[in-house]
Amino acid sequence: MSGTVTVVSSNGTYSFTKPNRDSVTLLAGLGVEGDVHAGVTVKHRSRVAQDPTQPNLRQVHLIHEELFDELREAGFEVAPGDLGENVTTRGIDLLGLPVGTLLHLGDEAVVEVTGLRNPCLQIDHFQGGLLKQVVARDAAGDIVRKAGIMGIVASGGRVRPGDPVKVELPAEPHRQLDRV
């Protein structure tokens, strides 16, 4: 399974959206260089309030660009970086990957998938009704989170739009993604 990086984004200050960049540098064990969420321990405000010593399993946020196509069909205008992601991809079912999957981004960078992003009410502040589009229930009544996946940087390197993404699945048995 492979795909492509379409957009990269980062922001050194807390805000909901992240500006698009020509490239970002991933730092092993930390995240996106210069991004407010980079670090060994949690940086997300609500998680810091709970326990600032928690390991940062959310160093890199990835979203599949196909989500934006789906949202557009539902009447929403959402572009890469708008939901705070660092890496936007095309051609990979990110939500279907198991925990521990390695995503090789470009020539050097590797992100280990840790789980699903758990979208919060801020999404509705960005565009009213958007939260219901990215968090829903399936036919069995189970919650389905579609706002991307989170990971930690296993190997650093520069990532640019157009870079290939190669998927390396972990050994079985695979563990389904859950929110982190």
Side-chain angles (χ1 to χ4, degrees):
M1 185 183 329
S2 64
T4 306
V5 172
T6 59
V7 178
V8 293
S9 310
S10 67
N11 199 342
T13 60
Y14 283 103
S15 69
F16 186 71
T17 62
K18 293 189 180 189
N20 300 155
R21 308 288 183 192
D22 293 332
S23 68
V24 293
T25 300
L26 302 187
L27 303 173
L30 295 174
V32 179
E33 182 177 44
D35 191 82
V36 70
H37 291 106
V40 174
T41 57
V42 294
K43 300 302 176 198
H44 193 275
R45 290 178 183 175
S46 66
R47 293 172 189 269
V48 168
Q50 291 173 353
D51 178 2
T53 66
Q54 295 176 71
N56 188 2
L57 301 178
R58 302 164 53 102
Q59 295 174 356
V60 181
H61 177 195
L62 300 97
I63 286 185
H64 53 296
E65 193 170 47
E66 292 85 351
L67 175 63
F68 303 135
D69 300 337
E70 180 184 324
L71 294 173
R72 200 170 1 273
E73 289 176 19
F76 294 89
E77 278 304 315
V78 181
D82 282 352
L83 299 181
E85 74 277 8
N86 302 112
V87 178
T88 307
T89 66
R90 185 166 281 283
I92 298 173
D93 177 14
L94 295 177
L95 303 177
L97 298 173
V99 172
T101 297
L102 298 179
L103 298 174
H104 298 262
L105 309 173
D107 294 331
E108 300 173 316
V110 180
V111 172
E112 180 180 342
V113 176
T114 56
L116 295 168
R117 176 190 183 187
N118 190 32
C120 65
L121 192 57
Q122 286 185 10
I123 289 179
D124 269 349
H125 296 286
F126 176 70
Q127 282 186 44
L130 188 57
L131 184 60
K132 285 186 179 180
Q133 298 296 315
V134 297
V135 178
R137 292 200 181 267
D138 63 16
D142 295 323
I143 294 176
V144 177
R145 293 173 178 85
K146 299 191 253 180
I149 63 172
M150 308 305 285
I152 58 173
V153 181
S155 296
R158 187 169 299 280
V159 181
R160 299 171 184 84
D163 279 349
V165 179
K166 295 178 191 136
V167 175
E168 182 182 344
L169 295 174
E172 293 190 15
H174 291 163
R175 221 175 41 172
Q176 185 176 357
L177 295 179
D178 197 4
R179 65 188 176 125
V180 292

